[in-house]
PDB file of all heavy atoms in Angstrom:
ATOM      1  N   GLY A   1       0.822  -1.224   0.008  1.00 97.00           N
ATOM      2  CA  GLY A   1       0.012   0.018   0.018  1.00 97.00           C
ATOM      3  C   GLY A   1       0.865   1.282  -0.003  1.00 97.00           C
ATOM      4  O   GLY A   1       0.472   2.260  -0.681  1.00 97.00           O
ATOM      5  N   GLN A   2       1.972   1.248   0.748  1.00 96.00           N
ATOM      6  CA  GLN A   2       2.831   2.450   0.738  1.00 96.00           C
ATOM      7  C   GLN A   2       3.379   2.672  -0.644  1.00 96.00           C
ATOM      8  O   GLN A   2       3.389   3.851  -1.116  1.00 96.00           O
ATOM      9  CB  GLN A   2       3.964   2.212   1.736  1.00 96.00           C
ATOM     10  CG  GLN A   2       3.495   2.262   3.187  1.00 96.00           C
ATOM     11  CD  GLN A   2       4.521   1.787   4.189  1.00 96.00           C
ATOM     12  OE1 GLN A   2       5.341   0.941   3.938  1.00 96.00           O
ATOM     13  NE2 GLN A   2       4.419   2.315   5.406  1.00 96.00           N
ATOM     14  N   LYS A   3       3.842   1.675  -1.326  1.00 97.00           N
ATOM     15  CA  LYS A   3       4.392   1.811  -2.703  1.00 97.00           C
ATOM     16  C   LYS A   3       3.268   2.215  -3.655  1.00 97.00           C
ATOM     17  O   LYS A   3       3.488   3.023  -4.558  1.00 97.00           O
ATOM     18  CB  LYS A   3       5.046   0.560  -3.147  1.00 97.00           C
ATOM     19  CG  LYS A   3       6.250   0.150  -2.332  1.00 97.00           C
ATOM     20  CD  LYS A   3       7.372   1.139  -2.436  1.00 97.00           C
ATOM     21  CE  LYS A   3       8.606   0.714  -1.644  1.00 97.00           C
ATOM     22  NZ  LYS A   3       9.570   1.719  -1.546  1.00 97.00           N
ATOM     23  N   LEU A   4       2.083   1.628  -3.493  1.00 98.00           N
ATOM     24  CA  LEU A   4       0.983   1.938  -4.385  1.00 98.00           C
ATOM     25  C   LEU A   4       0.570   3.399  -4.268  1.00 98.00           C
ATOM     26  O   LEU A   4       0.324   4.073  -5.280  1.00 98.00           O
ATOM     27  CB  LEU A   4      -0.237   1.043  -4.061  1.00 98.00           C
ATOM     28  CG  LEU A   4      -1.503   1.213  -4.905  1.00 98.00           C
ATOM     29  CD1 LEU A   4      -1.159   0.928  -6.384  1.00 98.00           C
ATOM     30  CD2 LEU A   4      -2.591   0.315  -4.372  1.00 98.00           C
ATOM     31  N   ALA A   5       0.469   3.914  -3.031  1.00 97.00           N
ATOM     32  CA  ALA A   5       0.104   5.315  -2.872  1.00 97.00           C
ATOM     33  C   ALA A   5       1.157   6.213  -3.520  1.00 97.00           C
ATOM     34  O   ALA A   5       0.761   7.211  -4.151  1.00 97.00           O
ATOM     35  CB  ALA A   5       0.030   5.631  -1.361  1.00 97.00           C
ATOM     36  N   GLU A   6       2.418   5.864  -3.445  1.00 97.00           N
ATOM     37  CA  GLU A   6       3.421   6.618  -4.189  1.00 97.00           C
ATOM     38  C   GLU A   6       3.198   6.582  -5.652  1.00 97.00           C
ATOM     39  O   GLU A   6       3.281   7.660  -6.327  1.00 97.00           O
ATOM     40  CB  GLU A   6       4.845   6.107  -3.893  1.00 97.00           C
ATOM     41  CG  GLU A   6       5.380   6.321  -2.508  1.00 97.00           C
ATOM     42  CD  GLU A   6       6.679   5.606  -2.234  1.00 97.00           C
ATOM     43  OE1 GLU A   6       7.433   5.350  -3.241  1.00 97.00           O
ATOM     44  OE2 GLU A   6       6.998   5.321  -1.059  1.00 97.00           O
ATOM     45  N   LEU A   7       2.970   5.435  -6.222  1.00 97.00           N
ATOM     46  CA  LEU A   7       2.806   5.261  -7.655  1.00 97.00           C
ATOM     47  C   LEU A   7       1.573   5.991  -8.203  1.00 97.00           C
ATOM     48  O   LEU A   7       1.539   6.512  -9.322  1.00 97.00           O
ATOM     49  CB  LEU A   7       2.720   3.798  -8.018  1.00 97.00           C
ATOM     50  CG  LEU A   7       3.982   2.982  -7.876  1.00 97.00           C
ATOM     51  CD1 LEU A   7       3.693   1.496  -8.002  1.00 97.00           C
ATOM     52  CD2 LEU A   7       5.040   3.424  -8.857  1.00 97.00           C
ATOM     53  N   LEU A   8       0.522   6.046  -7.376  1.00 96.00           N
ATOM     54  CA  LEU A   8      -0.760   6.652  -7.814  1.00 96.00           C
ATOM     55  C   LEU A   8      -0.859   8.112  -7.329  1.00 96.00           C
ATOM     56  O   LEU A   8      -1.934   8.729  -7.618  1.00 96.00           O
ATOM     57  CB  LEU A   8      -1.931   5.821  -7.341  1.00 96.00           C
ATOM     58  CG  LEU A   8      -2.040   4.390  -7.843  1.00 96.00           C
ATOM     59  CD1 LEU A   8      -3.210   3.680  -7.206  1.00 96.00           C
ATOM     60  CD2 LEU A   8      -2.140   4.375  -9.377  1.00 96.00           C
ATOM     61  N   ASN A   9       0.130   8.627  -6.638  1.00 96.00           N
ATOM     62  CA  ASN A   9      -0.006   9.972  -6.020  1.00 96.00           C
ATOM     63  C   ASN A   9      -1.234  10.067  -5.187  1.00 96.00           C
ATOM     64  O   ASN A   9      -2.022  10.981  -5.278  1.00 96.00           O
ATOM     65  CB  ASN A   9       0.062  11.020  -7.115  1.00 96.00           C
ATOM     66  CG  ASN A   9       1.360  11.099  -7.809  1.00 96.00           C
ATOM     67  OD1 ASN A   9       2.432  11.034  -7.169  1.00 96.00           O
ATOM     68  ND2 ASN A   9       1.341  11.169  -9.107  1.00 96.00           N
ATOM     69  N   GLY A  10      -1.435   9.016  -4.335  1.00 96.00           N
ATOM     70  CA  GLY A  10      -2.671   8.980  -3.555  1.00 96.00           C
ATOM     71  C   GLY A  10      -2.338   9.001  -2.070  1.00 96.00           C
ATOM     72  O   GLY A  10      -1.232   9.280  -1.623  1.00 96.00           O
ATOM     73  N   ARG A  11      -3.393   8.719  -1.281  1.00 97.00           N
ATOM     74  CA  ARG A  11      -3.279   8.665   0.183  1.00 97.00           C
ATOM     75  C   ARG A  11      -3.474   7.223   0.586  1.00 97.00           C
ATOM     76  O   ARG A  11      -4.305   6.503   0.033  1.00 97.00           O
ATOM     77  CB  ARG A  11      -4.333   9.519   0.779  1.00 97.00           C
ATOM     78  CG  ARG A  11      -4.316  10.999   0.384  1.00 97.00           C
ATOM     79  CD  ARG A  11      -3.124  11.731   1.010  1.00 97.00           C
ATOM     80  NE  ARG A  11      -3.090  13.102   0.603  1.00 97.00           N
ATOM     81  CZ  ARG A  11      -3.577  14.099   1.367  1.00 97.00           C
ATOM     82  NH1 ARG A  11      -4.135  13.880   2.535  1.00 97.00           N
ATOM     83  NH2 ARG A  11      -3.490  15.336   0.940  1.00 97.00           N
ATOM     84  N   LEU A  12      -2.726   6.846   1.609  1.00 97.00           N
ATOM     85  CA  LEU A  12      -2.871   5.505   2.182  1.00 97.00           C
ATOM     86  C   LEU A  12      -3.489   5.560   3.572  1.00 97.00           C
ATOM     87  O   LEU A  12      -2.983   6.331   4.436  1.00 97.00           O
ATOM     88  CB  LEU A  12      -1.507   4.833   2.241  1.00 97.00           C
ATOM     89  CG  LEU A  12      -1.497   3.413   2.980  1.00 97.00           C
ATOM     90  CD1 LEU A  12      -2.299   2.416   2.197  1.00 97.00           C
ATOM     91  CD2 LEU A  12      -0.065   2.971   3.171  1.00 97.00           C
ATOM     92  N   VAL A  13      -4.502   4.755   3.767  1.00 96.00           N
ATOM     93  CA  VAL A  13      -5.076   4.620   5.136  1.00 96.00           C
ATOM     94  C   VAL A  13      -4.867   3.129   5.517  1.00 96.00           C
ATOM     95  O   VAL A  13      -5.611   2.292   4.960  1.00 96.00           O
ATOM     96  CB  VAL A  13      -6.569   5.015   5.195  1.00 96.00           C
ATOM     97  CG1 VAL A  13      -7.122   4.860   6.593  1.00 96.00           C
ATOM     98  CG2 VAL A  13      -6.758   6.468   4.701  1.00 96.00           C
ATOM     99  N   ASP A  14      -3.952   2.833   6.357  1.00 94.00           N
ATOM    100  CA  ASP A  14      -3.690   1.483   6.807  1.00 94.00           C
ATOM    101  C   ASP A  14      -4.703   1.130   7.884  1.00 94.00           C
ATOM    102  O   ASP A  14      -5.005   1.954   8.738  1.00 94.00           O
ATOM    103  CB  ASP A  14      -2.256   1.413   7.331  1.00 94.00           C
ATOM    104  CG  ASP A  14      -1.924   0.073   7.910  1.00 94.00           C
ATOM    105  OD1 ASP A  14      -2.170  -0.975   7.259  1.00 94.00           O
ATOM    106  OD2 ASP A  14      -1.389   0.006   9.075  1.00 94.00           O
ATOM    107  N   ASN A  15      -5.177  -0.124   7.868  1.00 92.00           N
ATOM    108  CA  ASN A  15      -6.180  -0.511   8.873  1.00 92.00           C
ATOM    109  C   ASN A  15      -5.668  -0.315  10.284  1.00 92.00           C
ATOM    110  O   ASN A  15      -6.434   0.011  11.177  1.00 92.00           O
ATOM    111  CB  ASN A  15      -6.650  -1.955   8.656  1.00 92.00           C
ATOM    112  CG  ASN A  15      -5.530  -2.983   8.656  1.00 92.00           C
ATOM    113  OD1 ASN A  15      -4.425  -2.744   8.176  1.00 92.00           O
ATOM    114  ND2 ASN A  15      -5.819  -4.130   9.199  1.00 92.00           N
ATOM    115  N   HIS A  16      -4.345  -0.468  10.540  1.00 89.00           N
ATOM    116  CA  HIS A  16      -3.848  -0.272  11.876  1.00 89.00           C
ATOM    117  C   HIS A  16      -3.853   1.207  12.319  1.00 89.00           C
ATOM    118  O   HIS A  16      -3.899   1.491  13.506  1.00 89.00           O
ATOM    119  CB  HIS A  16      -2.491  -0.926  12.027  1.00 89.00           C
ATOM    120  CG  HIS A  16      -2.584  -2.419  12.182  1.00 89.00           C
ATOM    121  ND1 HIS A  16      -2.816  -3.046  13.404  1.00 89.00           N
ATOM    122  CD2 HIS A  16      -2.565  -3.389  11.253  1.00 89.00           C
ATOM    123  CE1 HIS A  16      -2.955  -4.340  13.195  1.00 89.00           C
ATOM    124  NE2 HIS A  16      -2.767  -4.575  11.902  1.00 89.00           N
ATOM    125  N   THR A  17      -3.793   2.099  11.330  1.00 88.00           N
ATOM    126  CA  THR A  17      -3.943   3.502  11.673  1.00 88.00           C
ATOM    127  C   THR A  17      -5.272   3.733  12.345  1.00 88.00           C
ATOM    128  O   THR A  17      -5.410   4.492  13.304  1.00 88.00           O
ATOM    129  CB  THR A  17      -3.831   4.340  10.415  1.00 88.00           C
ATOM    130  OG1 THR A  17      -2.547   4.138   9.793  1.00 88.00           O
ATOM    131  CG2 THR A  17      -4.010   5.850  10.681  1.00 88.00           C
ATOM    132  N   LEU A  18      -6.341   3.016  11.839  1.00 87.00           N
ATOM    133  CA  LEU A  18      -7.653   3.154  12.395  1.00 87.00           C
ATOM    134  C   LEU A  18      -7.879   2.351  13.630  1.00 87.00           C
ATOM    135  O   LEU A  18      -8.657   2.733  14.524  1.00 87.00           O
ATOM    136  CB  LEU A  18      -8.704   2.793  11.309  1.00 87.00           C
ATOM    137  CG  LEU A  18      -8.631   3.597  10.047  1.00 87.00           C
ATOM    138  CD1 LEU A  18      -9.702   3.071   9.108  1.00 87.00           C
ATOM    139  CD2 LEU A  18      -8.836   5.075  10.265  1.00 87.00           C
ATOM    140  N   TRP A  19      -7.256   1.193  13.774  1.00 90.00           N
ATOM    141  CA  TRP A  19      -7.511   0.256  14.840  1.00 90.00           C
ATOM    142  C   TRP A  19      -6.644   0.466  16.075  1.00 90.00           C
ATOM    143  O   TRP A  19      -6.992   0.030  17.157  1.00 90.00           O
ATOM    144  CB  TRP A  19      -7.400  -1.186  14.361  1.00 90.00           C
ATOM    145  CG  TRP A  19      -8.490  -1.603  13.393  1.00 90.00           C
ATOM    146  CD1 TRP A  19      -8.836  -0.988  12.228  1.00 90.00           C
ATOM    147  CD2 TRP A  19      -9.329  -2.748  13.532  1.00 90.00           C
ATOM    148  NE1 TRP A  19      -9.859  -1.671  11.631  1.00 90.00           N
ATOM    149  CE2 TRP A  19     -10.157  -2.778  12.389  1.00 90.00           C
ATOM    150  CE3 TRP A  19      -9.406  -3.734  14.469  1.00 90.00           C
ATOM    151  CZ2 TRP A  19     -11.098  -3.747  12.219  1.00 90.00           C
ATOM    152  CZ3 TRP A  19     -10.341  -4.715  14.306  1.00 90.00           C
ATOM    153  CH2 TRP A  19     -11.196  -4.702  13.181  1.00 90.00           C
ATOM    154  N   ASN A  20      -5.450   1.054  15.904  1.00 90.00           N
ATOM    155  CA  ASN A  20      -4.482   1.118  16.986  1.00 90.00           C
ATOM    156  C   ASN A  20      -5.021   1.896  18.229  1.00 90.00           C
ATOM    157  O   ASN A  20      -4.624   1.538  19.381  1.00 90.00           O
ATOM    158  CB  ASN A  20      -3.165   1.665  16.542  1.00 90.00           C
ATOM    159  CG  ASN A  20      -2.312   0.637  15.901  1.00 90.00           C
ATOM    160  OD1 ASN A  20      -2.603  -0.578  15.997  1.00 90.00           O
ATOM    161  ND2 ASN A  20      -1.276   1.043  15.166  1.00 90.00           N
ATOM    162  N   LEU A  21      -5.829   2.853  18.038  1.00 92.00           N
ATOM    163  CA  LEU A  21      -6.375   3.576  19.232  1.00 92.00           C
ATOM    164  C   LEU A  21      -7.185   2.617  20.107  1.00 92.00           C
ATOM    165  O   LEU A  21      -7.092   2.587  21.302  1.00 92.00           O
ATOM    166  CB  LEU A  21      -7.243   4.761  18.782  1.00 92.00           C
ATOM    167  CG  LEU A  21      -7.645   5.732  19.922  1.00 92.00           C
ATOM    168  CD1 LEU A  21      -6.431   6.357  20.560  1.00 92.00           C
ATOM    169  CD2 LEU A  21      -8.599   6.755  19.344  1.00 92.00           C
ATOM    170  N   ALA A  22      -7.986   1.775  19.430  1.00 93.00           N
ATOM    171  CA  ALA A  22      -8.783   0.773  20.188  1.00 93.00           C
ATOM    172  C   ALA A  22      -7.899  -0.216  20.858  1.00 93.00           C
ATOM    173  O   ALA A  22      -8.059  -0.616  22.017  1.00 93.00           O
ATOM    174  CB  ALA A  22      -9.760   0.086  19.226  1.00 93.00           C
ATOM    175  N   PHE A  23      -6.836  -0.685  20.116  1.00 90.00           N
ATOM    176  CA  PHE A  23      -5.871  -1.674  20.724  1.00 90.00           C
ATOM    177  C   PHE A  23      -5.151  -1.056  21.954  1.00 90.00           C
ATOM    178  O   PHE A  23      -4.940  -1.733  22.963  1.00 90.00           O
ATOM    179  CB  PHE A  23      -4.841  -2.122  19.685  1.00 90.00           C
ATOM    180  CG  PHE A  23      -5.327  -3.115  18.701  1.00 90.00           C
ATOM    181  CD1 PHE A  23      -5.137  -2.869  17.329  1.00 90.00           C
ATOM    182  CD2 PHE A  23      -5.969  -4.262  19.067  1.00 90.00           C
ATOM    183  CE1 PHE A  23      -5.565  -3.792  16.390  1.00 90.00           C
ATOM    184  CE2 PHE A  23      -6.391  -5.192  18.135  1.00 90.00           C
ATOM    185  CZ  PHE A  23      -6.226  -4.950  16.803  1.00 90.00           C
ATOM    186  N   ALA A  24      -4.866   0.247  21.876  1.00 91.00           N
ATOM    187  CA  ALA A  24      -4.117   0.873  22.949  1.00 91.00           C
ATOM    188  C   ALA A  24      -4.963   1.189  24.176  1.00 91.00           C
ATOM    189  O   ALA A  24      -4.475   1.103  25.295  1.00 91.00           O
ATOM    190  CB  ALA A  24      -3.468   2.167  22.449  1.00 91.00           C
ATOM    191  N   LEU A  25      -6.221   1.520  24.002  1.00 94.00           N
ATOM    192  CA  LEU A  25      -7.013   2.051  25.108  1.00 94.00           C
ATOM    193  C   LEU A  25      -8.192   1.269  25.528  1.00 94.00           C
ATOM    194  O   LEU A  25      -8.886   1.638  26.489  1.00 94.00           O
ATOM    195  CB  LEU A  25      -7.481   3.454  24.698  1.00 94.00           C
ATOM    196  CG  LEU A  25      -6.338   4.480  24.434  1.00 94.00           C
ATOM    197  CD1 LEU A  25      -6.897   5.785  23.974  1.00 94.00           C
ATOM    198  CD2 LEU A  25      -5.475   4.667  25.675  1.00 94.00           C
ATOM    199  N   THR A  26      -8.512   0.144  24.876  1.00 95.00           N
ATOM    200  CA  THR A  26      -9.615  -0.698  25.264  1.00 95.00           C
ATOM    201  C   THR A  26      -9.229  -2.165  25.237  1.00 95.00           C
ATOM    202  O   THR A  26      -8.158  -2.485  24.730  1.00 95.00           O
ATOM    203  CB  THR A  26     -10.871  -0.505  24.300  1.00 95.00           C
ATOM    204  OG1 THR A  26     -10.478  -0.953  22.997  1.00 95.00           O
ATOM    205  CG2 THR A  26     -11.245   0.971  24.221  1.00 95.00           C
ATOM    206  N   GLU A  27     -10.088  -2.937  25.828  1.00 94.00           N
ATOM    207  CA  GLU A  27      -9.825  -4.391  25.791  1.00 94.00           C
ATOM    208  C   GLU A  27     -10.341  -4.938  24.455  1.00 94.00           C
ATOM    209  O   GLU A  27     -11.514  -4.647  24.064  1.00 94.00           O
ATOM    210  CB  GLU A  27     -10.508  -5.080  26.918  1.00 94.00           C
ATOM    211  CG  GLU A  27      -9.967  -4.668  28.290  1.00 94.00           C
ATOM    212  CD  GLU A  27      -8.493  -5.037  28.473  1.00 94.00           C
ATOM    213  OE1 GLU A  27      -8.051  -6.167  28.037  1.00 94.00           O
ATOM    214  OE2 GLU A  27      -7.736  -4.204  29.019  1.00 94.00           O
ATOM    215  N   ARG A  28      -9.542  -5.763  23.827  1.00 89.00           N
ATOM    216  CA  ARG A  28      -9.904  -6.314  22.534  1.00 89.00           C
ATOM    217  C   ARG A  28     -11.221  -7.080  22.577  1.00 89.00           C
ATOM    218  O   ARG A  28     -11.549  -7.766  23.522  1.00 89.00           O
ATOM    219  CB  ARG A  28      -8.808  -7.280  22.077  1.00 89.00           C
ATOM    220  CG  ARG A  28      -8.909  -7.756  20.684  1.00 89.00           C
ATOM    221  CD  ARG A  28      -7.719  -8.687  20.332  1.00 89.00           C
ATOM    222  NE  ARG A  28      -8.067  -9.386  19.123  1.00 89.00           N
ATOM    223  CZ  ARG A  28      -7.524  -9.151  17.940  1.00 89.00           C
ATOM    224  NH1 ARG A  28      -6.632  -8.190  17.837  1.00 89.00           N
ATOM    225  NH2 ARG A  28      -7.848  -9.870  16.937  1.00 89.00           N
ATOM    226  N   LYS A  29     -12.031  -6.854  21.519  1.00 90.00           N
ATOM    227  CA  LYS A  29     -13.306  -7.547  21.305  1.00 90.00           C
ATOM    228  C   LYS A  29     -14.390  -7.177  22.372  1.00 90.00           C
ATOM    229  O   LYS A  29     -15.321  -7.931  22.566  1.00 90.00           O
ATOM    230  CB  LYS A  29     -13.123  -9.033  21.184  1.00 90.00           C
ATOM    231  CG  LYS A  29     -12.293  -9.453  19.978  1.00 90.00           C
ATOM    232  CD  LYS A  29     -12.242 -10.945  19.817  1.00 90.00           C
ATOM    233  CE  LYS A  29     -11.450 -11.287  18.543  1.00 90.00           C
ATOM    234  NZ  LYS A  29     -11.452 -12.668  18.253  1.00 90.00           N
ATOM    235  N   THR A  30     -14.268  -6.033  23.031  1.00 95.00           N
ATOM    236  CA  THR A  30     -15.320  -5.562  23.946  1.00 95.00           C
ATOM    237  C   THR A  30     -16.114  -4.546  23.186  1.00 95.00           C
ATOM    238  O   THR A  30     -15.717  -4.020  22.140  1.00 95.00           O
ATOM    239  CB  THR A  30     -14.667  -4.917  25.171  1.00 95.00           C
ATOM    240  OG1 THR A  30     -13.939  -3.748  24.757  1.00 95.00           O
ATOM    241  CG2 THR A  30     -13.776  -5.871  25.951  1.00 95.00           C
ATOM    242  N   PRO A  31     -17.331  -4.220  23.705  1.00 96.00           N
ATOM    243  CA  PRO A  31     -18.113  -3.178  23.079  1.00 96.00           C
ATOM    244  C   PRO A  31     -17.301  -1.858  22.931  1.00 96.00           C
ATOM    245  O   PRO A  31     -17.464  -1.204  21.924  1.00 96.00           O
ATOM    246  CB  PRO A  31     -19.303  -3.020  24.018  1.00 96.00           C
ATOM    247  CG  PRO A  31     -19.464  -4.384  24.606  1.00 96.00           C
ATOM    248  CD  PRO A  31     -18.082  -4.860  24.786  1.00 96.00           C
ATOM    249  N   ALA A  32     -16.507  -1.478  23.926  1.00 97.00           N
ATOM    250  CA  ALA A  32     -15.729  -0.255  23.858  1.00 97.00           C
ATOM    251  C   ALA A  32     -14.692  -0.342  22.732  1.00 97.00           C
ATOM    252  O   ALA A  32     -14.426   0.643  22.021  1.00 97.00           O
ATOM    253  CB  ALA A  32     -14.995   0.034  25.141  1.00 97.00           C
ATOM    254  N   PHE A  33     -14.148  -1.504  22.500  1.00 95.00           N
ATOM    255  CA  PHE A  33     -13.163  -1.733  21.396  1.00 95.00           C
ATOM    256  C   PHE A  33     -13.815  -1.451  20.035  1.00 95.00           C
ATOM    257  O   PHE A  33     -13.327  -0.649  19.243  1.00 95.00           O
ATOM    258  CB  PHE A  33     -12.680  -3.192  21.483  1.00 95.00           C
ATOM    259  CG  PHE A  33     -11.725  -3.588  20.382  1.00 95.00           C
ATOM    260  CD1 PHE A  33     -10.388  -3.292  20.444  1.00 95.00           C
ATOM    261  CD2 PHE A  33     -12.184  -4.314  19.290  1.00 95.00           C
ATOM    262  CE1 PHE A  33      -9.512  -3.659  19.474  1.00 95.00           C
ATOM    263  CE2 PHE A  33     -11.284  -4.735  18.283  1.00 95.00           C
ATOM    264  CZ  PHE A  33      -9.949  -4.385  18.345  1.00 95.00           C
ATOM    265  N   TYR A  34     -14.977  -2.050  19.823  1.00 95.00           N
ATOM    266  CA  TYR A  34     -15.617  -1.871  18.535  1.00 95.00           C
ATOM    267  C   TYR A  34     -16.163  -0.476  18.353  1.00 95.00           C
ATOM    268  O   TYR A  34     -16.120   0.115  17.242  1.00 95.00           O
ATOM    269  CB  TYR A  34     -16.769  -2.915  18.405  1.00 95.00           C
ATOM    270  CG  TYR A  34     -16.249  -4.293  18.256  1.00 95.00           C
ATOM    271  CD1 TYR A  34     -16.517  -5.290  19.204  1.00 95.00           C
ATOM    272  CD2 TYR A  34     -15.413  -4.666  17.201  1.00 95.00           C
ATOM    273  CE1 TYR A  34     -16.045  -6.571  19.116  1.00 95.00           C
ATOM    274  CE2 TYR A  34     -14.892  -5.944  17.107  1.00 95.00           C
ATOM    275  CZ  TYR A  34     -15.219  -6.935  18.031  1.00 95.00           C
ATOM    276  OH  TYR A  34     -14.724  -8.162  17.936  1.00 95.00           O
ATOM    277  N   GLU A  35     -16.654   0.120  19.439  1.00 96.00           N
ATOM    278  CA  GLU A  35     -17.171   1.515  19.298  1.00 96.00           C
ATOM    279  C   GLU A  35     -16.039   2.488  19.006  1.00 96.00           C
ATOM    280  O   GLU A  35     -16.225   3.467  18.270  1.00 96.00           O
ATOM    281  CB  GLU A  35     -17.943   1.920  20.561  1.00 96.00           C
ATOM    282  CG  GLU A  35     -18.680   3.266  20.419  1.00 96.00           C
ATOM    283  CD  GLU A  35     -19.579   3.317  19.146  1.00 96.00           C
ATOM    284  OE1 GLU A  35     -20.199   2.368  18.770  1.00 96.00           O
ATOM    285  OE2 GLU A  35     -19.553   4.444  18.524  1.00 96.00           O
ATOM    286  N   THR A  36     -14.873   2.273  19.595  1.00 96.00           N
ATOM    287  CA  THR A  36     -13.707   3.096  19.312  1.00 96.00           C
ATOM    288  C   THR A  36     -13.371   3.027  17.832  1.00 96.00           C
ATOM    289  O   THR A  36     -13.158   4.063  17.170  1.00 96.00           O
ATOM    290  CB  THR A  36     -12.485   2.689  20.222  1.00 96.00           C
ATOM    291  OG1 THR A  36     -12.902   2.829  21.562  1.00 96.00           O
ATOM    292  CG2 THR A  36     -11.256   3.565  19.890  1.00 96.00           C
TER     293      THR A  36
END
């Protein structure tokens, strides 16, 4: 994805960019995890 974004002059949104806040601040697979 990093190389693809360079080739297409685009933006990359990695799934861990979106999920890491939940991993850091909530318990995995809890309602708070999914809502985060």
Side-chain angles (χ1 to χ4, degrees):
Q2 289 168 330
K3 298 295 182 190
L4 181 62
E6 288 175 24
L7 292 169
L8 297 177
N9 294 316
R11 302 288 180 96
L12 173 65
V13 180
D14 175 50
N15 58 321
H16 284 274
T17 301
L18 301 180
W19 290 55
N20 277 346
L21 190 62
F23 284 127
L25 299 176
T26 65
E27 294 300 318
R28 188 179 165 106
K29 297 187 178 184
T30 63
F33 177 81
Y34 293 118
E35 188 52 38
T36 301

